[in-house]
Amino acid sequence: MPIFITFEGIEGCGKTTQLARLAEKLRARGRQVLTTREPGGCPIADAIRKILLDPGNSDLAPRAELLLYAAARAQHVEEVVKPALEQGVLVLCDRFTDATLAYQGFGRGLDRNLIAELNDLAAGGLTPDLTLLLDMPVEHGLNRALGRNARSNLEQEGRFEAESLAFHQRVREGYLAICQNLPRYARIDALGSIEVVEERIDAAVTDFLKRRA
Ligand code: TMP
């Protein structure tokens, strides 16, 4: 049975680290797992990612931004996600359609009904089976993200970290609002050591897989 799990959360919430750990754990338990991310996950979508995250593109119009995320997603779903699911591989994706609702909808203020329709088009109707929302106060996440970028000179990753605290607050509140309305969501308290958060995620995923079986 195809299983598609997505990770969501604000900047610096730890989802990329946790996704890699979960993948290792599931592989050790005998599952075939593909890890991928959005925007990106294949060469064409990675090229779009560069445009989207380049701090030099600070004048990118919100509607152009929205359409670029959608274009990257359409390519990624077609080329990577759907073929893997069709082969019975469990797919773990770092961000997906809910990120567009949270960032471009709640963060930028674009029409959320329109985004939902565009998400559906871009994802070819695909929805995650489980979404893990790694939730933490915005200040914690942003401090972590900015520190990480400074340490590794990740200038390409900077366009969203440069947004105001209020923007990120809207994104967090957006995620919490989306999460409340969707049964496929598990909200994970992302404050705590990597190991503690990992255990919380493991419990949520194990519970989901049991219900699924
Ligand atoms: P990342 O930090 O998880 O790699 O994601 C890159 C940035 O892109 C992050 O700041 C969130 C943003 N983003 C959106 O604004 N809309 C989207 O649809 C996606 C997938 C990401």
Side-chain angles (χ1 to χ4, degrees):
M1 193 188 306
I3 295 175
F4 182 34
I5 300 177
T6 56
F7 279 64
E8 298 284 357
I10 57 162
E11 316 295 314
C13 67
K15 62 186 169 39
T16 307
T17 304
Q18 292 296 343
L19 186 150
R21 288 188 168 224
L22 177 64
E24 282 316 304
K25 207 173 287 176
L26 292 172
R27 285 186 186 119
R29 292 175 191 161
R31 286 190 187 261
Q32 228 192 319
V33 178
L34 174 84
T35 64
T36 188
R37 70 169 178 184
E38 289 207 347
C42 57
I44 292 172
D46 278 332
I48 298 174
R49 178 184 176 94
K50 282 210 177 78
I51 298 172
L52 280 164
L53 302 188
D54 184 348
N57 288 337
S58 58
D59 52 357
L60 186 64
R63 277 179 297 148
E65 178 184 281
L66 171 66
L67 292 169
L68 285 171
Y69 277 111
R73 177 162 304 129
Q75 186 67 31
H76 177 231
V77 166
E78 194 71 24
E79 196 177 322
V80 177
V81 182
K82 277 200 171 166
L85 291 171
E86 276 160 18
Q87 286 172 18
V89 175
L90 188 153
V91 177
L92 297 181
C93 189
D94 192 337
R95 297 197 188 280
F96 197 59
T97 43
D98 299 327
T100 318
L101 262 185
Y103 280 80
Q104 281 65 51
F106 287 86
R108 300 266 188 246
L110 294 176
D111 184 323
R112 297 206 285 273
N113 291 323
L114 185 136
I115 293 176
E117 280 184 39
L118 188 61
N119 274 346
D120 198 42
L121 173 74
L126 179 69
T127 51
D129 299 297
L130 171 69
T131 299
L132 299 157
L133 172 61
L134 272 61
D135 183 50
M136 60 162 53
V138 165
E139 295 80 357
H140 284 259
L142 269 185
N143 277 340
R144 200 193 274 181
L146 291 170
R148 177 188 60 204
N149 287 6
R151 274 194 307 281
S152 40
N153 231 351
L154 278 175
E155 277 181 30
Q156 288 285 355
E157 304 283 318
R159 203 168 66 85
F160 279 87
E161 277 94 346
E163 286 289 341
S164 67
L165 207 59
F167 173 85
H168 292 286
Q169 196 61 46
R170 289 198 297 280
V171 172
R172 182 190 182 200
E173 279 160 16
Y175 271 128
L176 290 173
I178 298 167
C179 171
Q180 275 192 341
N181 298 329
L182 290 177
R184 70 171 153 87
Y185 255 92
R187 179 182 165 276
I188 307 288
D189 176 1
L191 283 180
S193 68
I194 290 180
E195 291 73 21
V196 166
V197 178
E198 186 178 0
E199 274 172 30
R200 291 176 190 143
I201 290 174
D202 192 26
V205 173
T206 303
D207 179 55
F208 162 78
L209 291 174
K210 264 195 204 130
R211 279 187 280 120
R212 204 47 202 257

